Amino acid sequence: MDNDVAEWEARYASQEHGLFSGNVNGPLPVEVSGLTPGRAIDVGCGEGADAIWLARAGWETTGLDVSTVALARAAEAARAAGVQVDWIAAGVADASGTFDLVAAHYPAIKRSPGEPELAALLGLVAVGGTLLVVGHGPPNPEFARSRGFDPADYVLPDTVAAALDDRWEVLVHEQRPRVRPTPAGSPWTHDDVLRARRRT
């Protein structure tokens, strides 16, 4: 098992009742409110709250995550909610197909030489489709490194924005206050939100 996968399995398994709140991430309802439901994929879906919200809103939804522990909880939550979601245990580089909405909230997508992960993320967006990437703000690399990771090693909204060429239209790229209170001890009081439409 890949070390990163093993780490996420252990993190989820360490919390008997779930690692996260089970609530939809605040930017998602705001950013998709004007979109016509179609095919959606939630990249790094974790325990499934965003994917379940999308399914309830009429989207044909896929949840993608490397952790089978998280996906088992997500599937149970979807059954309880009475919605159908296609759960896939894989990283973004192994995903296939194209989607009308590709959403990634606080993704833990590690970068590597040649940026295949970033290319894979962009490649999931169908022509005319929407890419939504949300990260933590404002940037605080010192705090992040104190928690054992360097933000420069991961795909972030700024990373994605810098990779978008004239095939894309950037509709939103801004920091805004978090909808829910910032967790105790965290300096990230805002969300960094990037929403773009694929023209061609």
Side-chain angles (χ1 to χ4, degrees):
M1 182 184 293
D2 180 273
N3 286 341
D4 291 332
V5 175
E7 179 182 344
W8 279 106
E9 293 283 44
R11 285 186 65 183
Y12 280 107
S14 70
Q15 300 292 322
E16 183 179 354
H17 299 294
L19 188 60
F20 298 108
S21 69
N23 298 317
V24 63
N25 283 302
L28 183 61
V30 173
E31 296 302 325
V32 307
S33 63
L35 301 180
T36 300
R39 297 186 70 226
I41 186 168
D42 181 14
V43 176
C45 66
E47 292 155 335
D50 286 356
I52 291 168
W53 185 92
L54 285 166
R56 280 175 163 161
W59 293 82
E60 180 185 338
T61 308
T62 296
L64 182 78
D65 203 279
V66 298
S67 171
T68 58
V69 175
L71 291 176
R73 292 176 180 167
E76 183 179 347
R79 284 192 294 270
V83 296
Q84 176 65 41
V85 177
D86 185 17
W87 306 107
I88 298 177
V92 66
D94 298 315
S96 61
T98 58
F99 299 84
D100 303 300
L101 172 65
V102 176
H105 284 72
Y106 320 109
I109 303 172
K110 273 197 172 179
R111 302 171 70 180
S112 60
E115 304 280 20
E117 298 82 7
L118 178 54
L121 181 69
L122 299 184
L124 291 172
V125 185
V127 173
T130 296
L131 174 67
L132 174 62
V133 182
V134 178
H136 293 296
N140 193 316
E142 293 79 11
F143 176 82
R145 285 192 285 267
S146 76
R147 303 291 291 269
F149 69 97
D150 189 336
D153 294 337
Y154 292 85
V155 173
L156 303 173
D158 284 348
T159 316
V160 178
L164 300 181
D165 56 24
D166 59 7
R167 293 173 296 175
W168 296 84
E169 178 185 7
V170 176
L171 303 171
V172 176
H173 190 197
E174 64 184 23
Q175 288 191 20
R176 62 177 72 133
R178 288 179 61 130
V179 172
R180 295 186 179 85
T182 302
S186 172
W188 292 311
T189 57
H190 288 62
D191 287 321
D192 189 2
V193 180
L194 171 69
R195 177 165 58 90
R197 184 179 66 86
R198 184 166 191 163
R199 293 190 177 111
T200 61

